[in-house]
PDB file of all heavy atoms in Angstrom:
ATOM      1  N   PRO A 303     -17.688  -4.282  13.632  1.00  0.00           N
ATOM      2  CA  PRO A 303     -16.442  -5.014  13.916  1.00  0.00           C
ATOM      3  C   PRO A 303     -15.303  -4.418  13.100  1.00  0.00           C
ATOM      4  O   PRO A 303     -15.503  -4.055  11.929  1.00  0.00           O
ATOM      5  CB  PRO A 303     -16.741  -6.442  13.454  1.00  0.00           C
ATOM      6  CG  PRO A 303     -18.227  -6.521  13.327  1.00  0.00           C
ATOM      7  CD  PRO A 303     -18.724  -5.142  13.054  1.00  0.00           C
ATOM      8  N   VAL A 304     -14.129  -4.344  13.698  1.00  0.00           N
ATOM      9  CA  VAL A 304     -12.990  -3.757  12.994  1.00  0.00           C
ATOM     10  C   VAL A 304     -12.674  -4.575  11.727  1.00  0.00           C
ATOM     11  O   VAL A 304     -12.199  -4.025  10.720  1.00  0.00           O
ATOM     12  CB  VAL A 304     -11.782  -3.605  13.961  1.00  0.00           C
ATOM     13  CG1 VAL A 304     -11.130  -4.930  14.271  1.00  0.00           C
ATOM     14  CG2 VAL A 304     -10.775  -2.613  13.457  1.00  0.00           C
ATOM     15  N   ALA A 305     -13.005  -5.862  11.738  1.00  0.00           N
ATOM     16  CA  ALA A 305     -12.746  -6.706  10.559  1.00  0.00           C
ATOM     17  C   ALA A 305     -13.540  -6.231   9.340  1.00  0.00           C
ATOM     18  O   ALA A 305     -13.128  -6.450   8.196  1.00  0.00           O
ATOM     19  CB  ALA A 305     -13.097  -8.157  10.873  1.00  0.00           C
ATOM     20  N   ASP A 306     -14.688  -5.567   9.589  1.00  0.00           N
ATOM     21  CA  ASP A 306     -15.519  -5.120   8.459  1.00  0.00           C
ATOM     22  C   ASP A 306     -14.906  -3.933   7.723  1.00  0.00           C
ATOM     23  O   ASP A 306     -15.398  -3.548   6.654  1.00  0.00           O
ATOM     24  CB  ASP A 306     -16.929  -4.746   8.943  1.00  0.00           C
ATOM     25  CG  ASP A 306     -17.724  -5.977   9.361  1.00  0.00           C
ATOM     26  OD1 ASP A 306     -17.170  -7.093   9.281  1.00  0.00           O
ATOM     27  OD2 ASP A 306     -18.883  -5.823   9.783  1.00  0.00           O
ATOM     28  N   LEU A 307     -13.858  -3.348   8.280  1.00  0.00           N
ATOM     29  CA  LEU A 307     -13.247  -2.183   7.614  1.00  0.00           C
ATOM     30  C   LEU A 307     -12.695  -2.533   6.233  1.00  0.00           C
ATOM     31  O   LEU A 307     -12.508  -1.651   5.400  1.00  0.00           O
ATOM     32  CB  LEU A 307     -12.128  -1.596   8.483  1.00  0.00           C
ATOM     33  CG  LEU A 307     -12.590  -0.947   9.791  1.00  0.00           C
ATOM     34  CD1 LEU A 307     -11.384  -0.405  10.561  1.00  0.00           C
ATOM     35  CD2 LEU A 307     -13.587   0.172   9.518  1.00  0.00           C
ATOM     36  N   LEU A 308     -12.426  -3.816   5.977  1.00  0.00           N
ATOM     37  CA  LEU A 308     -11.905  -4.197   4.666  1.00  0.00           C
ATOM     38  C   LEU A 308     -12.897  -3.879   3.546  1.00  0.00           C
ATOM     39  O   LEU A 308     -12.522  -3.798   2.386  1.00  0.00           O
ATOM     40  CB  LEU A 308     -11.565  -5.696   4.629  1.00  0.00           C
ATOM     41  CG  LEU A 308     -10.311  -6.121   5.376  1.00  0.00           C
ATOM     42  CD1 LEU A 308     -10.128  -7.629   5.273  1.00  0.00           C
ATOM     43  CD2 LEU A 308      -9.070  -5.413   4.840  1.00  0.00           C
ATOM     44  N   ALA A 309     -14.174  -3.702   3.917  1.00  0.00           N
ATOM     45  CA  ALA A 309     -15.188  -3.417   2.889  1.00  0.00           C
ATOM     46  C   ALA A 309     -15.498  -1.920   2.784  1.00  0.00           C
ATOM     47  O   ALA A 309     -16.147  -1.479   1.841  1.00  0.00           O
ATOM     48  CB  ALA A 309     -16.471  -4.177   3.208  1.00  0.00           C
ATOM     49  N   LEU A 310     -15.012  -1.141   3.747  1.00  0.00           N
ATOM     50  CA  LEU A 310     -15.434   0.264   3.826  1.00  0.00           C
ATOM     51  C   LEU A 310     -15.086   1.069   2.573  1.00  0.00           C
ATOM     52  O   LEU A 310     -15.877   1.872   2.087  1.00  0.00           O
ATOM     53  CB  LEU A 310     -14.794   0.900   5.078  1.00  0.00           C
ATOM     54  CG  LEU A 310     -14.956   2.409   5.261  1.00  0.00           C
ATOM     55  CD1 LEU A 310     -16.428   2.795   5.306  1.00  0.00           C
ATOM     56  CD2 LEU A 310     -14.250   2.875   6.534  1.00  0.00           C
ATOM     57  N   HIS A 311     -13.910   0.872   2.046  1.00  0.00           N
ATOM     58  CA  HIS A 311     -13.423   1.731   0.954  1.00  0.00           C
ATOM     59  C   HIS A 311     -13.961   1.289  -0.409  1.00  0.00           C
ATOM     60  O   HIS A 311     -13.710   1.948  -1.412  1.00  0.00           O
ATOM     61  CB  HIS A 311     -11.885   1.704   0.964  1.00  0.00           C
ATOM     62  CG  HIS A 311     -11.254   2.882   0.297  1.00  0.00           C
ATOM     63  ND1 HIS A 311     -11.613   4.169   0.552  1.00  0.00           N
ATOM     64  CD2 HIS A 311     -10.277   2.967  -0.630  1.00  0.00           C
ATOM     65  CE1 HIS A 311     -10.877   5.000  -0.174  1.00  0.00           C
ATOM     66  NE2 HIS A 311     -10.070   4.292  -0.915  1.00  0.00           N
ATOM     67  N   MET A 312     -14.642   0.173  -0.448  1.00  0.00           N
ATOM     68  CA  MET A 312     -15.229  -0.342  -1.693  1.00  0.00           C
ATOM     69  C   MET A 312     -14.177  -0.470  -2.798  1.00  0.00           C
ATOM     70  O   MET A 312     -14.415  -0.097  -3.948  1.00  0.00           O
ATOM     71  CB  MET A 312     -16.379   0.548  -2.161  1.00  0.00           C
ATOM     72  CG  MET A 312     -17.523   0.633  -1.172  1.00  0.00           C
ATOM     73  SD  MET A 312     -18.866   1.711  -1.713  1.00  0.00           S
ATOM     74  CE  MET A 312     -18.154   3.335  -1.549  1.00  0.00           C
ATOM     75  N   ASP A 313     -12.998  -0.970  -2.431  1.00  0.00           N
ATOM     76  CA  ASP A 313     -11.943  -1.176  -3.429  1.00  0.00           C
ATOM     77  C   ASP A 313     -12.360  -2.305  -4.361  1.00  0.00           C
ATOM     78  O   ASP A 313     -13.212  -3.122  -4.011  1.00  0.00           O
ATOM     79  CB  ASP A 313     -10.615  -1.519  -2.726  1.00  0.00           C
ATOM     80  CG  ASP A 313      -9.949  -0.278  -2.152  1.00  0.00           C
ATOM     81  OD1 ASP A 313     -10.146   0.809  -2.725  1.00  0.00           O
ATOM     82  OD2 ASP A 313      -9.254  -0.379  -1.129  1.00  0.00           O
ATOM     83  N   PRO A 314     -11.746  -2.383  -5.553  1.00  0.00           N
ATOM     84  CA  PRO A 314     -12.150  -3.437  -6.484  1.00  0.00           C
ATOM     85  C   PRO A 314     -11.989  -4.812  -5.845  1.00  0.00           C
ATOM     86  O   PRO A 314     -10.988  -5.075  -5.185  1.00  0.00           O
ATOM     87  CB  PRO A 314     -11.164  -3.288  -7.657  1.00  0.00           C
ATOM     88  CG  PRO A 314     -10.454  -2.010  -7.450  1.00  0.00           C
ATOM     89  CD  PRO A 314     -10.649  -1.562  -6.044  1.00  0.00           C
ATOM     90  N   PRO A 315     -12.990  -5.693  -5.990  1.00  0.00           N
ATOM     91  CA  PRO A 315     -12.927  -6.989  -5.313  1.00  0.00           C
ATOM     92  C   PRO A 315     -11.918  -7.952  -5.923  1.00  0.00           C
ATOM     93  O   PRO A 315     -11.559  -8.942  -5.315  1.00  0.00           O
ATOM     94  CB  PRO A 315     -14.347  -7.544  -5.466  1.00  0.00           C
ATOM     95  CG  PRO A 315     -14.920  -6.829  -6.638  1.00  0.00           C
ATOM     96  CD  PRO A 315     -14.245  -5.501  -6.729  1.00  0.00           C
ATOM     97  N   GLU A 316     -11.453  -7.680  -7.121  1.00  0.00           N
ATOM     98  CA  GLU A 316     -10.514  -8.600  -7.777  1.00  0.00           C
ATOM     99  C   GLU A 316      -9.572  -7.828  -8.689  1.00  0.00           C
ATOM    100  O   GLU A 316      -9.732  -6.611  -8.855  1.00  0.00           O
ATOM    101  CB  GLU A 316     -11.281  -9.665  -8.556  1.00  0.00           C
ATOM    102  CG  GLU A 316     -12.359  -9.114  -9.418  1.00  0.00           C
ATOM    103  CD  GLU A 316     -13.362 -10.188  -9.824  1.00  0.00           C
ATOM    104  OE1 GLU A 316     -13.541 -11.158  -9.056  1.00  0.00           O
ATOM    105  OE2 GLU A 316     -13.925 -10.056 -10.901  1.00  0.00           O
ATOM    106  N   PRO A 317      -8.566  -8.524  -9.282  1.00  0.00           N
ATOM    107  CA  PRO A 317      -7.600  -7.815 -10.125  1.00  0.00           C
ATOM    108  C   PRO A 317      -8.274  -6.910 -11.155  1.00  0.00           C
ATOM    109  O   PRO A 317      -9.295  -7.260 -11.745  1.00  0.00           O
ATOM    110  CB  PRO A 317      -6.842  -8.964 -10.800  1.00  0.00           C
ATOM    111  CG  PRO A 317      -6.892 -10.065  -9.790  1.00  0.00           C
ATOM    112  CD  PRO A 317      -8.235  -9.945  -9.137  1.00  0.00           C
ATOM    113  N   THR A 318      -7.670  -5.741 -11.328  1.00  0.00           N
ATOM    114  CA  THR A 318      -8.287  -4.659 -12.104  1.00  0.00           C
ATOM    115  C   THR A 318      -7.183  -3.921 -12.860  1.00  0.00           C
ATOM    116  O   THR A 318      -6.095  -3.763 -12.316  1.00  0.00           O
ATOM    117  CB  THR A 318      -8.939  -3.653 -11.112  1.00  0.00           C
ATOM    118  OG1 THR A 318      -9.858  -4.360 -10.302  1.00  0.00           O
ATOM    119  CG2 THR A 318      -9.654  -2.525 -11.812  1.00  0.00           C
ATOM    120  N   PRO A 319      -7.457  -3.410 -14.046  1.00  0.00           N
ATOM    121  CA  PRO A 319      -6.464  -2.544 -14.673  1.00  0.00           C
ATOM    122  C   PRO A 319      -6.524  -1.138 -14.066  1.00  0.00           C
ATOM    123  O   PRO A 319      -7.612  -0.638 -13.789  1.00  0.00           O
ATOM    124  CB  PRO A 319      -6.898  -2.505 -16.153  1.00  0.00           C
ATOM    125  CG  PRO A 319      -8.333  -2.909 -16.152  1.00  0.00           C
ATOM    126  CD  PRO A 319      -8.631  -3.655 -14.891  1.00  0.00           C
ATOM    127  N   GLY A 320      -5.381  -0.536 -13.834  1.00  0.00           N
ATOM    128  CA  GLY A 320      -5.374   0.814 -13.261  1.00  0.00           C
ATOM    129  C   GLY A 320      -4.173   1.610 -13.721  1.00  0.00           C
ATOM    130  O   GLY A 320      -3.104   1.048 -13.972  1.00  0.00           O
ATOM    131  N   TYR A 321      -4.380   2.906 -13.878  1.00  0.00           N
ATOM    132  CA  TYR A 321      -3.267   3.816 -14.160  1.00  0.00           C
ATOM    133  C   TYR A 321      -3.418   4.966 -13.180  1.00  0.00           C
ATOM    134  O   TYR A 321      -4.386   5.739 -13.265  1.00  0.00           O
ATOM    135  CB  TYR A 321      -3.328   4.332 -15.604  1.00  0.00           C
ATOM    136  CG  TYR A 321      -2.241   5.350 -15.909  1.00  0.00           C
ATOM    137  CD1 TYR A 321      -0.995   4.941 -16.369  1.00  0.00           C
ATOM    138  CD2 TYR A 321      -2.457   6.701 -15.683  1.00  0.00           C
ATOM    139  CE1 TYR A 321       0.016   5.865 -16.613  1.00  0.00           C
ATOM    140  CE2 TYR A 321      -1.450   7.634 -15.930  1.00  0.00           C
ATOM    141  CZ  TYR A 321      -0.229   7.205 -16.397  1.00  0.00           C
ATOM    142  OH  TYR A 321       0.773   8.120 -16.635  1.00  0.00           O
ATOM    143  N   GLY A 322      -2.511   5.058 -12.224  1.00  0.00           N
ATOM    144  CA  GLY A 322      -2.662   6.100 -11.218  1.00  0.00           C
ATOM    145  C   GLY A 322      -1.328   6.482 -10.619  1.00  0.00           C
ATOM    146  O   GLY A 322      -0.268   6.004 -11.046  1.00  0.00           O
ATOM    147  N   ASP A 323      -1.393   7.362  -9.631  1.00  0.00           N
ATOM    148  CA  ASP A 323      -0.172   7.758  -8.921  1.00  0.00           C
ATOM    149  C   ASP A 323      -0.552   8.524  -7.653  1.00  0.00           C
ATOM    150  O   ASP A 323      -1.721   8.901  -7.482  1.00  0.00           O
ATOM    151  CB  ASP A 323       0.729   8.619  -9.812  1.00  0.00           C
ATOM    152  CG  ASP A 323       2.208   8.390  -9.511  1.00  0.00           C
ATOM    153  OD1 ASP A 323       2.524   7.701  -8.520  1.00  0.00           O
ATOM    154  OD2 ASP A 323       3.046   8.909 -10.251  1.00  0.00           O
ATOM    155  N   GLY A 324       0.440   8.733  -6.813  1.00  0.00           N
ATOM    156  CA  GLY A 324       0.197   9.408  -5.549  1.00  0.00           C
ATOM    157  C   GLY A 324       1.071  10.632  -5.354  1.00  0.00           C
ATOM    158  O   GLY A 324       2.078  10.817  -6.054  1.00  0.00           O
ATOM    159  N   MET A 325       0.677  11.455  -4.410  1.00  0.00           N
ATOM    160  CA  MET A 325       1.459  12.650  -4.036  1.00  0.00           C
ATOM    161  C   MET A 325       1.129  12.979  -2.579  1.00  0.00           C
ATOM    162  O   MET A 325       0.012  12.713  -2.128  1.00  0.00           O
ATOM    163  CB  MET A 325       1.039  13.831  -4.927  1.00  0.00           C
ATOM    164  CG  MET A 325       1.900  15.065  -4.758  1.00  0.00           C
ATOM    165  SD  MET A 325       1.104  16.584  -5.339  1.00  0.00           S
ATOM    166  CE  MET A 325       1.618  16.648  -7.000  1.00  0.00           C
TER     167      MET A 325
END
Side-chain angles (χ1 to χ4, degrees):
V304 74
D306 289 1
L307 293 180
L308 286 179
L310 172 58
H311 202 49
M312 299 179 288
D313 282 330
E316 48 198 29
T318 303
Y321 176 89
D323 213 351
M325 188 200 269

